[in-house]
Amino acid sequence: MIPEELPEIIPEEMRGVAAKISAGERVTNEEGEALFRSKDIALLGILAGVVRRRFNGDRVYFNRNFHIEPTNICIHNCRFCSYRKPAGSPGSWDYTPDQIMDIVKSFDNKPVTEVHIVGGVHPAHDLHYYGKILSMIKAHRPGIHIKAFTAVELDYMIKKGGLTLEEGLAELKKYGLDSIPGGGAEIFDEVIRREICDDKSSSEKWLKIHEVAHRTGLPSNATILYGHIENYGHRIDHLDRLRRLQDKTGGFNAFIPLKFRKSNNPMEKQGEVSLIEDMKNYAVSRIFLDNFPHIKAYWPALGRSSTQLSLSFGVDDVDGTIDDTTKIYSMAGAEDQRPAMDTSEISALIRGAGYTPVERDTLYNVVREW
Ligand code: V47
């Protein structure tokens, strides 16, 4: 509990919610919005720290992974996207299965534990096309964890393969899928979703796919795309829908807030939110999602020093070594145009903020303490 004799460090209007957080009680949507409205960013960091220590002590996790972005050809036209191209246009790519295997083979002598596969929704590829690629990866490197395909990609490839969600996810698991990344969630509020990614799978569908995945034994992550036209109410609504699903299934590992980056997309004039807003978002997510074990700062999107700061606002995971294998964020204007950090750099970043670096696998089993 918060000691009675120190009330002056907490503004009066925050004392009720601060006491609840300190006692491990769940905060309501109204309290979540009040936390977002607070200008007391230092207090938010302290309160998020209370929750992060309950889950993760002073540990900060990272993993060794690489990304494959099989195609940037996409049937959707999200207004925030700097990456997609219509089929046949200059700058578009669609790697063949052999080209994808060449990327996998280029990591043969590296101790990576995960491959993260996310790309555009290609009109011609169904779940069997991608499933065969998963089998080829597993045949070549049986020990690697395949975290692949956002719910939006899954929605299309399963429908195109003529299967139900249940059948499609079970089939992909048989092909070698181990877990599902958190992308495609964007913002669940239907009005805002229509404005920024009108033709994409609905919020209801995104949540359904993750629910069925969890029931199929495929754990997953969740994201939010924040810092564009949404308000605090929309962010809390998003967190609330995730918290409810997690109460039901327990299948989410990490929540990953993704800051909208403005370059080379139709929403450029929207600008980007401040560092204060980023830290607030991490802290409130950590406090509100009291059933998510991990909050991840995706460093290629956020930048290195902001990622380091985020560790004092509830973040306990900085994702992976990545090794310059993702283009989604460099194309949208992130500082790191060739994002790559080795384990000693990641470890120094974490230690530099006073935390203990822990190398994990995708499912948060400890690989090594650094
Ligand atoms: O869904 C696209 C986002 C996501 C922009 O699960 C943008 O471990 C900001 O989901 N500004 C895909 N964000 C990436 C993703 C992800 C990344 C890292 C780890 C995991 C995980 C998942 O990227 C999309 C969208 O929300 N995005 N464009 C942009 N301009």
Side-chain angles (χ1 to χ4, degrees):
M1 288 296 289
I2 296 182
E4 293 273 319
E5 62 275 17
L6 285 175
E8 73 278 9
I9 65 166
I10 300 173
E12 201 168 337
E13 69 281 7
M14 298 293 282
R15 283 183 203 156
V17 68
K20 268 179 101 170
I21 295 164
S22 159
E25 288 169 33
R26 179 164 277 194
V27 303
T28 64
N29 288 16
E30 294 67 34
E31 288 164 338
E33 278 196 55
L35 290 170
F36 265 130
R37 282 196 304 272
S38 166
K39 60 182 181 312
D40 202 338
I41 182 85
L43 177 60
L44 291 181
I46 291 168
L47 295 173
V50 169
V51 183
R52 78 99 69 210
R53 273 191 297 282
R54 257 182 223 136
F55 280 104
N56 297 300
D58 70 354
R59 293 182 297 282
V60 173
Y61 295 95
F62 68 94
N63 69 345
R64 296 200 216 204
N65 64 353
F66 63 101
H67 287 222
I68 299 177
E69 294 167 358
T71 181
N72 65 348
I73 294 170
C74 192
I75 58 166
H76 298 301
N77 209 346
C78 304
R79 296 189 61 241
F80 54 79
C81 185
S82 314
Y83 168 86
R84 65 86 63 179
K85 293 272 186 285
S89 70
S92 66
W93 72 82
D94 180 25
Y95 297 144
T96 62
D98 284 346
Q99 286 173 316
I100 290 177
M101 286 312 296
D102 287 343
I103 300 176
V104 173
K105 287 174 190 164
S106 71
F107 286 87
D108 274 357
N109 297 318
K110 298 191 179 155
V112 288
T113 57
E114 172 189 284
V115 54
H116 169 120
I117 309 176
V118 163
V121 178
H122 193 289
H125 302 329
D126 70 2
L127 93 159
H128 300 293
Y129 171 86
Y130 283 117
K132 282 174 197 143
I133 294 173
L134 301 185
S135 315
M136 287 164 78
I137 296 173
K138 282 283 169 152
H140 181 74
R141 194 159 177 173
I144 203 156
H145 180 109
I146 304 181
K147 178 176 65 158
F149 311 130
T150 65
V152 177
E153 292 165 85
L154 290 167
D155 186 15
Y156 183 84
M157 72 172 79
I158 292 173
K159 257 191 235 144
K160 191 166 175 67
L163 299 183
T164 65
L165 274 184
E166 285 77 5
E167 292 164 346
L169 287 165
E171 195 66 15
L172 284 163
K173 190 164 185 253
K174 273 194 233 147
Y175 276 123
L177 184 66
D178 293 304
S179 70
I180 295 175
E186 320 313 357
I187 199 96
F188 291 145
D189 177 86
E190 279 72 13
V191 175
I192 303 294
R193 195 173 183 86
R194 212 172 303 128
E195 287 284 315
I196 66 170
C197 51
D198 191 18
D199 60 351
K200 195 165 183 162
S201 312
S202 67
S203 307
E204 201 187 336
K205 197 45 140 344
W206 189 99
L207 290 160
K208 187 78 206 161
I209 288 173
H210 282 257
E211 182 175 351
V212 174
H214 297 169
R215 271 197 267 118
T216 311
L218 294 165
S220 72
N221 292 332
T223 57
I224 183 173
L225 180 70
Y226 72 93
H228 42 90
I229 57 170
E230 89 292 358
N231 63 30
Y232 291 147
H234 301 128
R235 289 191 205 168
I236 288 292
D237 167 65
H238 191 95
L239 297 177
D240 181 50
R241 296 195 208 192
L242 289 173
R243 191 168 73 174
R244 284 169 195 270
L245 180 54
Q246 179 74 332
D247 278 342
K248 229 165 132 180
T249 66
F252 287 116
N253 278 325
F255 179 64
I256 311 155
L258 296 169
K259 173 197 181 91
F260 167 66
R261 307 301 308 233
K262 67 175 185 173
S263 298
N264 306 313
N265 62 60
M267 280 169 61
E268 182 151 4
K269 68 172 186 320
Q270 208 55 52
E272 291 179 4
V273 293
S274 66
L275 182 61
I276 289 181
E277 205 54 49
D278 296 330
M279 296 306 125
K280 228 182 214 192
N281 203 52
Y282 284 114
V284 178
S285 302
R286 177 59 291 173
I287 293 165
F288 194 88
L289 293 176
D290 59 358
N291 52 6
F292 273 63
H294 303 285
I295 304 292
K296 187 194 281 194
Y298 183 52
W299 70 263
L302 189 64
R304 295 171 196 219
S305 36
S306 303
T307 297
Q308 195 176 39
L309 185 63
S310 75
L311 306 182
S312 298
F313 289 86
V315 166
D316 66 278
D317 186 352
V318 296
D319 201 79
T321 45
I322 289 157
D323 216 3
D324 189 24
T325 49
T326 174
K327 296 189 186 69
I328 296 180
Y329 285 93
S330 47
M331 288 167 90
E335 297 88 89
D336 255 305
Q337 285 297 298
R338 300 183 59 87
M341 270 204 276
D342 65 21
T343 42
S344 56
E345 286 171 287
I346 291 196
S347 165
L349 180 144
I350 295 166
R351 280 206 187 285
Y355 291 89
T356 305
V358 177
E359 185 182 340
R360 62 164 174 88
D361 65 13
T362 310
L363 303 177
Y364 293 85
N365 299 303
V366 173
V367 174
R368 184 177 156 189
E369 314 249 353
W370 279 77

